């Protein structure tokens, strides 16, 4: 038997208990660090006020684009061509800043650039993708309607062929980036099934309106879209997909990023409350030296670690081409629930200070109330996983 080399245990890092970072390549770590610096220097200093003022910090868009983060996991057309794990790390770091900033990047890359990339023709790709990667053309994605988002198969928005073009009627609701978007990827029922259209902002009959007074995602724009006999040229229809699998295929991309993003929000809350509990002295000792507080902090670390491993494995499967959309559902369900629970618990451990804009957990907690609803509610994802396990849909 050969002698085994002595093994020295490495003391776990409180912020990365299983050294998940060691599972990343050097390139992946470099990308993560670059985005982390941007978030620390540019996002975190302004985001509390932006949230308070119900304002999307649009001035950050050129820098986000210059970092190559828009459509960063697409190849060609001025996109960065990163792997999917890198895209996940980008989402994680951005959402450590705020879900609204990650939302902007998710919508632009996964919900607007992706369908043009995957379902568009060459002319559409050349026309839109480079400008979108540079942040000069902003997109929004219209699937949800006022009558119910969970069941998009029941959509009322419709498009009818007329003289070779399409005439679009209907409305979309709860649309991120709606009023600032130059183009909208709109999904509509047609006599050929659901089809996707690139609606441009100056097309007559197309109007948008912001949804004001939100308690959640206040640093993000959420809008309604209205289509009143909008004439969409045939050249703006996405030719290479038909049916609900078109929009659902985009959701898979965005949901994948959200599984990572939620980890970022959770890390922000956990880090803040871990530091706070070490300096807050109550009953003659730091809060962190109290059994129940330690259990709560340990539980946060456990849940973040398991979520990290889940998303990393998901990303590796996505990079290999073996990821199934029901696996994304399990991670979206697990990781957003994990982040929301941690944000609420961190808020509580901060006491009264936890309701102030000075600390981030309440902002993350309120944001995560949207994140757990959009891109498929928690229940929808439970049912997607259940349907895969049981071989029958139970929606
Ligand atoms: P179903 O019969 O299950 O599927 C129809 C076809 O689509 C395929 N498919 C998928 N393909 C890719 N990715 C997925 N995730 C897919 N899910 C299903 C499926 O294989 C089938 O293909 P085919 O070839 O047989 O036609 O469809 P259903 O009508 O029964 O619906 C199922 C359900 C409930 C899971 C689905 O409608 C759903 O996911 N509902 C939730 C809707 C949702 O998530 N909306 C999100 C709107 S966008 C948004 O929230 C953006 S937030 C942006 C931000 O700020 O970050
Ligand atoms: P509903 O579908 O009405 O669901 C209401 C409740 O019923 C939920 O709890 C749900 O889980 C439950 N439910 C539904 N079906 C079942 C069932 N079969 N069994 C048991 N329970 C069920 N959409 C876009 O298209 N583009 C965007 O950019 C976008 N951005 C968004 C931004 C924000 C801030 C928010 C909040 C939403 C956004 N959405 C967007 C919409 C989002 O995708 C929908 O809100 C979501 O899909 C849920 O739809 P709904 O709100 O109509 O809820």
């Amino acid at each position: 038997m050969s002698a085994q080399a002595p093994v020295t245990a490495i003391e776990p890092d409180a912020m990365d208990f299983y050294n998940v970072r060691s599972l990343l390549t050097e390139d992946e770590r470099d990308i993560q660090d670059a985005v982390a610096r941007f978030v620390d220097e540019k996002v975190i200093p302004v985001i509390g006020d932006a949230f308070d003022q119900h304002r999307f910090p649009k001035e950050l868009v050129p820098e986000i684009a210059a970092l190559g983060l828009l459509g960063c996991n697409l190849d060609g057309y001025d996109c960065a061509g990163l792997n999917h794990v890198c895209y996940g790390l980008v989402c994680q770091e951005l959402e450590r800043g705020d879900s609204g900033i990650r939302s902007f990047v998710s919508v632009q890359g996964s919900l607007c650039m992706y369908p043009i990339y995957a379902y568009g023709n060459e002319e559409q790709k050349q026309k839109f993708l480079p400008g979108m990667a540079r942040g000069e053309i902003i997109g929004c994605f219209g699937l949800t309607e006022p009558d119910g988002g969970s069941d998009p198969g029941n959509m009322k928005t419709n498009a009818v062929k007329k003289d070779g073009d399409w005439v679009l009627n209907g409305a979309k609701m709860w649309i991120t980036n709606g009023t600032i978007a130059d183009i909208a990827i709109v999904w509509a029922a047609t006599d050929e099934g659901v089809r996707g259209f690139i609606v441009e902002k100056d097309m007559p009959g197309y109007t948008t309106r912001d949804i004001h007074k939100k308690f959640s995602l206040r640093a993000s724009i959420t809008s309604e879209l209205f289509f009143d006999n909008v004439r969409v040229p045939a050249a703006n229809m996405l030719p290479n997909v038909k049916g609900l699998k078109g929009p659902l295929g985009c959701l898979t991309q965005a949901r994948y990023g959200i599984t990572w993003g939620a980890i970022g929000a959770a890390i922000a809350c956990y880090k803040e409350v871990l530091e706070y509990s070490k300096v807050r002295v109550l009953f003659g000792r730091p809060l962190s030296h109290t059994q129940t507080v330690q259990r709560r902090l340990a539980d946060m670390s456990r849940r973040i670690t398991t979520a990290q491993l889940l998303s990393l494995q998901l990303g590796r499967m996505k990079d290999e081409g073996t990821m199934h959309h029901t696996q994304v559902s399990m991670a979206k369900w697990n990781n957003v629930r994990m982040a929301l629970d941690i944000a609420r618990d961190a808020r509580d451990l901060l006491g009264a200070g936890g309701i102030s804009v000075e600390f981030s957990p309440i902002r993350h907690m309120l944001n995560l109330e949207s994140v757990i609803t959009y891109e498929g509610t928690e229940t929808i994802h439970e049912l997607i996983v259940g349907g895969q396990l049981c071989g029958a849909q139970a929606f």
Side-chain angles (χ1 to χ4, degrees), residues 142-143 145 155-160 166-169 172 185-197 227 243 247:
L143 179 64
E145 301 194 351
M155 71 176 66
K156 305 288 186 298
T157 298
N158 64 85
V160 178
W166 292 87
V167 178
L168 188 61
N169 278 291
K172 299 287 178 181
I185 303 295
V186 178
W187 299 95
T190 76
D191 58 6
E192 306 171 357
V194 170
R195 304 231 55 157
F197 298 90
F227 311 97

Side-chain angles (χ1 to χ4, degrees), residues 107 111 141-145 148-151 173-176 217 222 370 373-377 379-380 383 394-395:
V107 169
L111 295 183
F141 177 88
L143 179 64
T144 303
E145 301 194 351
S150 298
D151 182 16
M173 178 94 181
W174 301 111
I175 306 304
T176 301
L217 278 184
T222 317
S370 284
T373 292
Y374 69 33
E375 295 279 0
T377 65
T379 304
I380 289 296
L383 294 176
F395 299 110

Side-chain angles (χ1 to χ4, degrees), residues 250-316:
C250 305
L251 297 185
T252 298
Q253 313 308 312
R255 289 168 178 173
Y256 164 76
I258 290 173
T259 75
W260 288 86
I263 297 168
I267 286 174
C269 298
Y270 163 66
K271 183 167 190 285
E272 215 164 321
V273 79
L274 180 63
E275 286 164 3
Y276 177 86
S277 69
K278 289 178 182 168
V279 296
R280 182 73 167 175
V281 176
L282 295 168
F283 298 100
R285 63 190 171 190
L287 204 49
S288 62
H289 291 193
T290 305
Q291 273 195 1
T292 53
V293 173
Q294 280 193 8
R295 287 187 66 191
R296 287 160 76 178
L297 293 167
D299 193 50
M300 290 182 193
S301 171
R302 171 183 68 85
R303 295 184 70 180
I304 288 171
T305 301
T306 49
Q308 283 177 315
L309 292 169
L310 206 59
S311 279
L312 183 58
Q313 170 62 359
L314 196 65
R316 295 290 180 227

Side-chain angles (χ1 to χ4, degrees), residues 143-380:
L143 179 64
T144 303
E145 301 194 351
D147 286 344
S150 298
D151 182 16
N154 188 36
M155 71 176 66
K156 305 288 186 298
T157 298
N158 64 85
V160 178
K161 247 189 199 149
K162 197 166 182 196
D163 307 327
D165 293 337
W166 292 87
V167 178
L168 188 61
N169 278 291
K172 299 287 178 181
M173 178 94 181
W174 301 111
I175 306 304
T176 301
N177 296 347
T179 54
I180 57 164
D182 302 291
I183 61 166
I185 303 295
V186 178
W187 299 95
T190 76
D191 58 6
E192 306 171 357
V194 170
R195 304 231 55 157
F197 298 90
I198 306 169
V199 176
E200 302 184 42
K201 73 174 175 200
D202 48 8
M203 287 181 175
Y206 172 45
T207 51
T208 61
R209 184 170 65 194
D210 270 343
I211 297 172
H212 296 291
K213 300 193 180 179
K214 294 176 294 169
F215 284 113
S216 177
L217 278 184
R218 287 173 62 85
S220 169
I221 289 168
T222 317
S223 322
E224 293 172 270
L225 315 180
F226 304 98
F227 311 97
D228 181 10
N229 286 313
V230 181
R231 201 166 183 110
V232 183
N236 281 36
M237 195 261 283
L238 296 171
N240 298 327
V241 79
K242 211 184 282 182
L244 212 49
K245 65 172 183 265
L248 294 180
C250 305
L251 297 185
T252 298
Q253 313 308 312
R255 289 168 178 173
Y256 164 76
I258 290 173
T259 75
W260 288 86
I263 297 168
I267 286 174
C269 298
Y270 163 66
K271 183 167 190 285
E272 215 164 321
V273 79
L274 180 63
E275 286 164 3
Y276 177 86
S277 69
K278 289 178 182 168
V279 296
R280 182 73 167 175
V281 176
L282 295 168
F283 298 100
R285 63 190 171 190
L287 204 49
S288 62
H289 291 193
T290 305
Q291 273 195 1
T292 53
V293 173
Q294 280 193 8
R295 287 187 66 191
R296 287 160 76 178
L297 293 167
D299 193 50
M300 290 182 193
S301 171
R302 171 183 68 85
R303 295 184 70 180
I304 288 171
T305 301
T306 49
Q308 283 177 315
L309 292 169
L310 206 59
S311 279
L312 183 58
Q313 170 62 359
L314 196 65
R316 295 290 180 227
M317 290 191 290
K318 187 162 168 52
D319 278 323
E320 283 169 10
T322 58
M323 183 190 84
H324 192 263
H325 64 80
T326 57
Q327 292 167 324
V328 182
S329 284
M330 183 181 277
K332 201 257 180 188
W333 158 26
N334 182 77
N335 292 10
V336 180
R337 167 54 60 191
M338 167 287 292
L340 182 54
D341 289 348
I342 286 177
R344 283 178 178 161
D345 207 27
R347 208 295 309 149
D348 176 70
L349 281 169
L350 292 166
I355 71 158
S356 150
V357 74
E358 297 303 316
F359 291 98
S360 73
I362 196 163
R363 175 168 52 79
H364 285 296
M365 179 186 102
L366 292 168
N367 284 338
L368 288 160
E369 290 291 348
S370 284
V371 181
I372 206 163
T373 292
Y374 69 33
E375 295 279 0
T377 65
E378 182 173 57
T379 304
I380 289 296

